[in-house]
Amino acid sequence: MKITISGSLGNIGKPLVKKLIAAGHQVTVITSNSDRSEAIEALGAKPAIGSVSDAVFLAKAFEGADAVFAMTPPNMGGSNVIANTINAGQAFAKAIAGAQINRVVMLSSIGADLPNGTGPIAGLHNIEKIYEKLENTSVTFLRAGFFFTNFYNDVPMIKGAGIMGANYPASTVIPYVHPEDIATAVAEELVKIGSGKNVRYIISDVRTPGEAAKILGTAIEKTELPWIEFTDEQSLRGMIQAGLPEEFAGLYTEMGTGLRSGAIAADFLKNKTIDGKTKLEDFAKEFTSNF
């Protein structure tokens, strides 16, 4: 098959390209960074350099493809993040229709069933609605859990203050996923002969932040590492002080409130099918080597 993927060679893109090439597919990788061209070619894929907000460029990158993996960056600029994300989704949809792509796998998220109250996930909710209108295109909305790799954002806090934390309690039930498991699910879905519009959750483990602090803390020999619940204001100010743009800090704070209320995880937890292989204990080994 001829497959075009977005996401460059990130945490999902790189293992995905390796899996697809190993399976004998012809792969084109979309990236906005021309410096990635050599690395993409070294994996046996073809680079396509351009912006995911450019429908003309995307249509050219999709030309002749049997399937497309559509992934919009989580931070589309330092301002108007949701609007920019939705605009990228509209560009994708226009290009998909123009190139007459029959099979699409879109990276979405837990909480994308909700129109608001989810921070940056709201952009993905809107993109799902845009893709639902695509005619003659089978789409799988791959709703991923909270990335294990997001715990790396806690490293400065662990080293500086000896704590982990966010604006939700240690007892919050959160579906987590490893990017490698996402790549496996994407590779599976791209080659399926699908029909209509379908939702698949990709989750590796369901745990609490309290468990994460205990397991990761033990792995890095900080057995008393606590998870601290911050107020929304503390969370917002902490992220801004760490250098995050205020708008994006606000969106992440809102996402925290959605996790705290249970709304973001609720739809997945109705069925609770876990098909990822990487458990929190497995990720702890990676975390230790990168701490």
Side-chain angles (χ1 to χ4, degrees):
M1 291 177 63
K2 293 182 178 180
I3 298 173
T4 298
I5 75 164
S6 54
S8 191
L9 294 183
N11 289 334
I12 299 169
K14 189 172 183 178
L16 175 58
V17 172
K18 289 182 177 179
K19 292 175 191 293
L20 295 175
I21 293 295
H25 301 293
Q26 297 179 46
V27 181
T28 296
V29 180
I30 293 172
T31 179
S32 60
N33 186 355
S34 59
D35 291 341
R36 288 290 182 95
S37 294
E38 188 174 336
I40 291 169
E41 291 171 347
L43 292 176
K46 173 185 175 184
I49 315 299
S51 169
V52 294
S53 297
D54 184 344
V56 175
F57 157 72
L58 289 173
K60 186 175 181 180
F62 295 165
E63 189 174 343
D66 299 300
V68 165
F69 172 52
M71 174 182 172
T72 53
N75 183 4
M76 296 291 291
S79 61
N80 301 314
V81 173
I82 300 296
N84 289 343
T85 302
I86 295 171
N87 287 340
Q90 290 172 331
F92 267 103
K94 184 177 180 180
I96 289 165
Q100 298 181 326
I101 303 300
N102 295 321
R103 182 73 179 131
V104 172
V105 179
M106 174 207 162
L107 182 64
S108 189
S109 170
I110 56 170
D113 55 301
L114 303 172
N116 50 52
T118 59
I121 299 171
L124 298 173
H125 169 84
N126 283 277
I127 294 175
E128 284 195 13
K129 295 303 180 184
I130 292 169
Y131 286 14
E132 284 176 1
K133 298 177 182 178
L134 287 168
E135 298 180 359
N136 304 315
T137 300
S138 168
V139 182
T140 293
F141 302 114
L142 195 64
R143 291 181 181 169
F146 196 75
F147 284 25
F148 278 136
T149 49
N150 287 338
F151 282 122
Y152 289 125
N153 296 329
D154 288 306
V155 169
M157 194 188 312
I158 295 170
K159 290 185 175 180
I163 62 172
M164 296 177 69
N167 61 327
Y168 41 88
S171 59
T172 307
V173 177
I174 300 179
Y176 292 98
V177 70
H178 194 285
E180 184 81 29
D181 288 338
I182 297 175
T184 297
V186 173
E188 292 172 354
E189 292 293 334
L190 284 169
V191 299
K192 285 183 179 179
I193 300 175
S195 62
K197 311 297 186 286
N198 303 284
V199 172
R200 173 183 172 180
Y201 283 96
I202 176 63
I203 305 297
S204 303
D205 207 352
V206 178
R207 306 296 279 266
T208 68
E211 289 177 298
K214 182 177 181 179
I215 291 168
L216 298 180
T218 299
I220 59 173
E221 300 182 348
K222 295 181 182 293
T223 55
E224 302 301 319
L225 182 67
W227 178 274
I228 305 298
E229 180 183 3
F230 305 137
T231 66
D232 292 344
E233 181 64 21
Q234 288 171 332
S235 181
L236 177 66
R237 293 303 161 198
M239 283 186 279
I240 292 173
Q241 288 173 9
L244 210 62
E246 185 170 356
E247 179 185 340
F248 210 65
L251 288 171
Y252 266 117
T253 300
E254 182 180 82
M255 184 171 68
T257 65
L259 288 168
R260 186 174 68 216
S261 71
I264 287 177
D267 189 66
F268 165 74
L269 292 175
K270 289 177 184 176
N271 299 303
K272 205 174 180 179
T273 299
I274 299 174
D275 54 7
K277 295 181 179 180
T278 311
K279 303 307 174 188
L280 180 58
E281 288 81 359
D282 301 317
F283 172 71
K285 297 173 186 177
E286 295 178 32
F287 188 82
T288 301
S289 64
N290 289 288
F291 181 71

